[in-house]
Amino acid sequence: MSGFLLNVLLAVVWALLSGDVNLRELGVGFGLGYLLLRLFPDALGTRAYVRASVALLRFLGTFLRELTVANVQVALLALRARPNLNAMIFSVPLRPHTDLSLTLLTATVTLMPGSVVLGFDAGRTRMYMHGIGLASPEEARAGVKNVERLLLDFLPVPTGGRGGTA
C-alpha cells in the first residue's frame, strides 16, 4: 500500500474511532497518521512517501517566500518614478522532466511577478524566459534552478530519454 493511502486510511480510522467523522477529525487523523508514518518509515514501508512529502513542504515554503519577495520587488519597481527594470531574456538549462514536472515548473516560474516563460528548445533541454528587476542572467538562472531542484525532489524523474510521461 502506498504511503499516502495508508495515511488516508489512518485518518479515516481516527475519525471513526473518535465517533465524529468530520473534516476536523480527518485532518487531525491525517496529521497523527503522518507522524506515525514518519516515526516508523521502515516498518511501514513509507520512507519514499515521507521523503516526498517533506520535499513538497520545502517546495511550497520556498515558493511562498519567493512569491512574496517577487511581489514586493515588483511593487517597489512600480512605485518608482524612473524604475530600473533591467529587462532581459535568458535561457536556463534543464534537467530531464516529465510532462507534469515541466508544466509545474513553467507554472511556478510564471506565477512569480516579473518573469514569463517564453518557450523551450526542441529537445526540452532549455527554457527561455523574460524577466525584470534582476541584477544579472546568472541570478535569474540560479533562482529557476533552485525551483527546479526543489520540484524534482518530490516528483518522479523520467528514466528513458528526455521528457515524456514517465
Side-chain angles (χ1 to χ4, degrees):
M1 180 180 290
S2 78
F4 179 73
L5 290 177
L6 185 56
N7 202 354
V8 169
L9 178 66
L10 289 170
V12 170
V13 168
W14 172 266
L16 290 172
L17 289 175
S18 73
D20 191 16
V21 179
N22 58 36
L23 194 57
R24 182 178 150 259
E25 290 300 327
L26 287 171
V28 170
F30 194 84
L32 291 173
Y34 180 78
L35 182 63
L36 187 67
L37 297 178
R38 188 168 174 130
L39 287 174
F40 305 106
D42 293 327
L44 298 171
T46 58
R47 184 166 296 283
Y49 168 68
V50 169
R51 186 178 309 123
S53 61
V54 169
L56 175 62
L57 291 175
R58 190 177 315 122
F59 171 76
L60 290 174
T62 302
F63 172 70
L64 291 175
R65 185 186 74 231
E66 293 295 324
L67 182 64
T68 303
V69 169
N71 273 302
V72 169
Q73 287 174 340
V74 170
L76 291 174
L77 283 173
L79 293 174
R80 290 190 183 135
R82 297 188 194 283
N84 181 14
L85 295 179
N86 197 20
M88 63 182 81
I89 293 177
F90 57 95
S91 70
V92 181
L94 297 175
R95 291 169 38 192
H97 281 272
T98 62
D99 290 340
L100 173 66
S101 64
L102 196 60
T103 301
L104 286 176
L105 176 64
T106 304
T108 301
V109 171
T110 302
L111 280 173
M112 301 292 180
S115 64
V116 176
V117 175
L118 301 174
F120 300 92
D121 67 350
R124 298 188 334 174
T125 59
R126 283 200 168 278
M127 177 169 59
Y128 297 98
M129 295 185 59
H130 178 272
I132 61 167
L134 299 167
S136 68
E138 290 77 27
E139 177 188 340
R141 274 188 209 97
V144 173
K145 293 301 283 180
N146 184 42
V147 170
E148 178 188 37
R149 180 185 55 78
L150 291 170
L151 187 68
L152 291 179
D153 281 348
F154 71 90
L155 288 176
V157 177
T159 54
R162 287 224 164 257
T165 54

